Amino acid sequence: MLNSSNLRCAEIQKGAAQFPVQSQNLISDNISVVEGETATISCRVKNNDDSVIQLLNPNRQTIYFKDVRPLKDARFQLVNFSDNELRVSLSNVSLSDEGRYVCQLYTDPPQEAYADISVLIPPGNPIIESREDIVREGNETEITCTSMGSKPAATIKWMKGDKELQGKSKVEATYDRMFTVTSWLRFTVTKEDDGVPVVCIVDHPAVKDFQAQKYLEVQYKPEVTIKVEFPQGLIREGENLELTCQAKGKPQPHQVNWVRVDDDVPSHAVITGSDLFIENLNKSYNGTYRCVASNSVGETYADYILYVRDALTTTPKPTTTTTTISATTFPPDIIQDSQAGPEAQRLDHAVIGGVVAVVVFAMLCLLIVLGRYFARHKGTYFTHEAKGADDAADADTAIINAEGGHNNSDEKKEYYI
């Protein structure tokens, strides 16, 4: 039977671990060895006085007396014999070789030192199993890992990708002093877990990097996106629209539908598989268009909001008229600003009105000046012909007295009518 000391010794990795056990001048070491390999037992003496050293097995049978082997077991071989040491090797160690070996020094009284051999038995290949092969997104899964036939009991840890998870383990001892360890891991899966390895790692002093893994297969609802094929940018009346519904899931979506939220899809719209085509758009088509994709796990959708704007209009080029106002030349900055908003247009009208008023006022002033000029020169001819008429008693006398007048009454007379 293994006691607690044996189990602690069994935790030591392959090779001889040193735990000195001393009885006066005699020393030996505890040993941990993997089944099938070789263990070396050393009996050492300090300050030996030519006393005889011998090695006994757990049944107190003499293996070696000095350099002589009385026991007929060829697996025991002498490695070294001197006054200070008896060293013996045991090859092809089995579980039956486990126990306490005695180094004995023939003194008065006799002295003994003990070497406990612990045999490590590595576990078999771990077995990993899952409750179901395919798991749906959002459901809980359970994975089991079993390590059988080891000594001492192995420990199991879990990794999902690069993240360590905590499982729950149970240790069972078998009739042949072996141990079976079973560990359960439970967690809720997501779609990101699809294809991720879950690894069961077995830790035991007799083996390194002993593991088994299983790749998760997760089913999840479709992921839906809508791509605008054309037009690019703002959408205006008269243009055509094409939308493509892109759906990806596991399993692959078996159905993709286009609907219009709170209304019907335009009657002339063309739906081809996952594509929606609408030509000659107008504002009555504004609304939310929805792509719905479904598989055996469920259905999801994505929305596209259509907003149709007014069609672009071309601004007519200004025409030249024969009116006086159109003949007036304005600075380029005034003309450019006249194409701005209502505030700028009102300002342009005020400027044009002011210019017209100045022109009209200048023309009126010119007419007044010309009128006064002509009024001053009216009657000049009468004044020159009738000089001296102011001092005459009658018209005849005035004519006679006028400058350049005629003295003879027979001369021709002129009258200004």
Side-chain angles (χ1 to χ4, degrees), residues 128-133 135 139-145 158 183-189 198 214 216:
I128 187 169
E129 298 174 314
S130 61
R131 188 169 56 190
E132 57 271 312
D133 293 331
V135 189
N139 290 350
E140 185 181 72
T141 188
E142 179 180 288
I143 303 177
T144 304
C145 182
W158 293 92
S183 180
W184 296 270
L185 177 66
R186 294 184 180 93
F187 61 95
T188 301
V189 299
V198 176
K214 180 178 180 62
L216 294 172

Side-chain angles (χ1 to χ4, degrees), residues 208-279:
K208 294 181 179 179
D209 298 328
F210 208 31
Q211 62 185 32
Q213 66 180 13
K214 180 178 180 62
Y215 287 91
L216 294 172
E217 185 172 354
V218 182
Q219 290 185 338
Y220 52 90
K221 294 187 292 185
E223 298 175 338
V224 182
T225 57
I226 296 176
K227 179 182 178 182
V228 181
E229 300 293 345
F230 61 81
Q232 302 297 325
L234 299 179
I235 300 176
R236 300 187 180 276
E237 289 186 314
E239 295 180 336
N240 299 332
L241 172 68
E242 183 174 356
L243 303 176
T244 297
C245 181
Q246 299 175 333
K248 179 184 178 182
K250 190 173 183 179
Q252 192 64 20
H254 60 268
Q255 189 173 7
V256 177
N257 293 325
W258 281 99
V259 297
R260 185 178 179 187
V261 180
D262 299 330
D263 207 342
D264 295 330
V265 176
S267 57
H268 69 284
V270 178
I271 299 177
T272 306
S274 60
D275 296 337
L276 171 65
F277 177 77
I278 306 175
E279 64 178 356

Side-chain angles (χ1 to χ4, degrees), residues 129-199:
E129 298 174 314
S130 61
R131 188 169 56 190
E132 57 271 312
D133 293 331
I134 301 175
V135 189
R136 287 192 174 185
E137 175 188 12
N139 290 350
E140 185 181 72
T141 188
E142 179 180 288
I143 303 177
T144 304
C145 182
T146 304
S147 173
M148 303 175 62
S150 68
K151 180 183 174 298
T155 58
I156 296 176
K157 67 178 182 179
W158 293 92
M159 297 290 292
K160 186 183 76 170
D162 57 356
K163 181 180 180 182
E164 183 173 354
L165 302 180
Q166 294 298 323
K168 183 178 180 181
S169 298
K170 178 182 178 181
V171 179
E172 295 178 324
T174 61
Y175 69 93
D176 54 356
R177 295 185 292 171
M178 303 292 187
F179 296 91
T180 296
V181 181
T182 304
S183 180
W184 296 270
L185 177 66
R186 294 184 180 93
F187 61 95
T188 301
V189 299
T190 65
K191 62 184 177 182
E192 289 77 16
D193 293 329
D194 184 46
V196 174
V198 176
V199 184

Side-chain angles (χ1 to χ4, degrees), residues 289-302:
Y289 292 80
R290 175 172 294 172
C291 171
V292 183
S294 60
N295 60 10
S296 59
V297 181
E299 71 173 29
T300 51
Y301 63 85

Side-chain angles (χ1 to χ4, degrees), residues 78-131:
L78 183 64
V79 177
N80 182 51
F81 175 73
S82 66
D83 291 339
N84 297 319
E85 183 184 28
L86 173 62
R87 188 188 311 167
V88 177
S89 67
L90 172 60
S91 61
N92 194 21
V93 175
S94 65
L95 189 58
S96 61
D97 296 322
E98 191 172 65
R100 173 166 287 186
Y101 290 76
V102 181
C103 293
Q104 195 173 69
L105 182 64
Y106 278 92
T107 59
D108 187 19
Q111 299 182 28
E112 291 184 355
Y114 306 102
D116 291 327
I117 293 183
S118 297
V119 179
L120 307 179
I121 301 178
N125 292 330
I127 302 172
I128 187 169
E129 298 174 314
S130 61
R131 188 169 56 190

